[in-house]
Amino acid sequence: MEKVEALAQVGNYLGTSLLQERPSFILANGDVTDGGITITSSGIQSACAELGIPARFLMEKCSPDLQERVLAELAETKPIYPVMKNDEVTAFMSDVGYFVDTERMFDVLDNAIPSADFNRVYTHPRDGIGIAISGERQTAVRKGDLVGSGALVKFHPFGSAGVEVQTYVNRLVCTNGMVSTESRSKYRRPASEGYGSDLYDWVRERTIFAYDQAAAEVERLRASVDIILTDSNREGIMRHALDRLPSSTRGAVQDLLITNPPDTLYDMINILTDVASHQVERIGTAEELMLLANNTIDHTRTCEECHQVVN
């Protein structure tokens, strides 16, 4: 998709700012009183998540006055800071680093990769944003099956989790994506290093590096095409993957294994990346699945029980 479409998926983060002061929690019902700031329902839910209390109980069972008192007392034990949009508090952050301009980050990626295609945008209040992007460089894994070179970039608009850039490849026939397990293909800038204007130069340079290293991932995918799943190795390969699945994705992966039984290792890893690319909202879970897909290739190539190549 084009950049404008990708930006539409992170609309909640556009036009936001972070207040470096503690909230008073004067408002919980949307009315401005005593000079306080309006806190939206999403803001209350975010505060509850940061403070570790059930938002549903607080919002449905407690009066506005009680909501204010509970939040105010809990906020005294853990610093949280308001995220503002249109003069309202829409979220809270407890682990604050530095502000990242989300729209500028998209501009950087759009210019770093030739003919950039934003394959997938992940968003989550705690995880922040994950952007899977690929470019014009395409390579065939097998006849008629092209993958595009790209990068996966993760950051939180308020800098609490640092910024990560890593090599990514996108299968064009189904838009399944996979990241590299190679340490040299992953770059991380912790929030402690600061997010000055040089951050965007750093992201641009690392994105170009990650894009240029995608060829190695294509070779790994090509090798997986020739590894056939047979009665002797199928159980070991599937057990390796299933035992390491994030619990929230187990049902989706098992459903695909039943409806589309894999004949090759390439088929198997595409089941994992299908769930990561199309059925997961959190970037952390998606990355875990993509890494598991790549790790399964390594396991199969080195495990005597699982490895069987058809000549």
Side-chain angles (χ1 to χ4, degrees):
M1 59 183 147
E2 299 290 329
K3 181 183 70 174
V4 64
E5 297 175 82
L7 279 170
Q9 298 187 27
V10 295
N12 289 340
Y13 291 109
L14 302 181
T16 58
S17 60
L18 186 70
L19 290 184
Q20 295 289 346
E21 58 187 45
R22 300 285 293 278
S24 64
F25 287 113
I26 294 172
L27 304 164
N29 59 1
D31 296 324
V32 179
T33 59
D34 298 330
I37 301 173
T38 299
I39 303 174
T40 65
S41 60
S42 65
I44 294 176
Q45 292 174 343
S46 174
C48 290
E50 291 291 341
L51 298 169
I53 59 176
R56 183 175 179 181
F57 174 81
L58 187 71
M59 298 179 70
E60 294 182 1
K61 304 297 183 182
C62 299
S63 67
D65 288 343
L66 183 56
Q67 290 179 31
E68 295 163 15
R69 290 202 301 272
V70 169
L71 290 171
E73 291 181 12
L74 286 171
E76 288 299 316
T77 65
K78 182 178 182 180
I80 58 175
Y81 301 90
V83 177
M84 304 294 298
K85 182 173 182 177
N86 299 327
D87 298 322
E88 295 181 334
V89 177
T90 58
F92 288 91
M93 295 293 298
S94 59
D95 184 16
V96 175
Y98 301 86
F99 178 73
V100 178
D101 186 327
T102 299
E103 190 164 6
R104 185 174 177 184
M105 188 71 85
F106 274 75
D107 288 340
V108 168
L109 299 179
D110 194 33
N111 292 322
I113 293 183
S115 302
D117 180 18
F118 291 83
N119 308 137
R120 177 72 196 272
V121 178
Y122 301 87
T123 63
H124 189 271
R126 296 193 64 82
D127 295 349
I129 298 172
I131 307 167
I133 183 172
S134 61
E136 64 184 12
R137 188 182 301 146
Q138 300 176 3
T139 312
V141 174
R142 57 187 176 186
K143 186 176 181 179
D145 194 344
L146 298 174
V147 296
S149 300
L152 180 70
V153 181
K154 300 191 305 179
F155 67 96
H156 200 290
F158 307 110
S160 58
V163 178
E164 292 185 4
V165 180
Q166 57 189 308
T167 296
Y168 169 86
V169 292
N170 180 58
R171 190 182 181 204
L172 302 186
V173 68
C174 59
T175 65
N176 292 350
M178 188 173 76
V179 294
S180 173
T181 56
E182 298 292 331
S183 59
R184 67 176 181 272
S185 300
K186 184 173 184 176
Y187 312 94
R188 186 173 191 277
R189 177 164 172 154
S192 59
E193 290 188 10
Y195 288 171
S197 59
D198 68 314
L199 167 68
Y200 306 98
D201 292 333
W202 182 93
V203 171
R204 180 182 179 278
E205 292 173 359
R206 271 55 180 189
T207 299
I208 293 172
F209 292 159
Y211 179 70
D212 288 341
Q213 294 178 43
E217 295 311 305
V218 176
E219 291 303 317
R220 293 164 66 83
L221 289 173
R222 284 175 174 164
S224 71
V225 172
D226 292 330
I227 299 179
I228 307 299
L229 301 190
T230 67
D231 291 342
S232 61
N233 66 11
R234 185 185 304 272
E235 181 180 352
I237 292 173
M238 294 179 66
R239 183 174 63 247
H240 171 84
L242 290 172
D243 287 350
R244 292 162 176 79
L245 283 175
S247 58
S248 61
T249 66
R250 185 175 297 275
V253 170
Q254 290 177 327
D255 286 346
L256 286 177
L257 288 173
I258 293 171
T259 57
N260 300 290
D263 295 320
T264 67
L265 178 60
Y266 186 56
D267 296 334
M268 178 68 195
I269 64 176
N270 270 293
I271 285 176
L272 298 176
T273 56
D274 181 280
V275 175
S277 301
H278 303 293
Q279 301 188 47
V280 171
E281 296 299 324
R282 300 187 68 162
I283 179 58
T285 305
E287 184 184 13
E288 192 174 350
L289 269 176
M290 293 184 211
L291 288 171
L292 175 58
N294 212 325
N295 177 264
T296 301
I297 297 176
D298 292 335
H299 168 80
T300 305
R301 294 168 68 180
T302 58
C303 173
E304 291 185 5
E305 177 186 353
C306 296
H307 184 70
Q308 179 172 334
V309 179
V310 173
N311 296 317

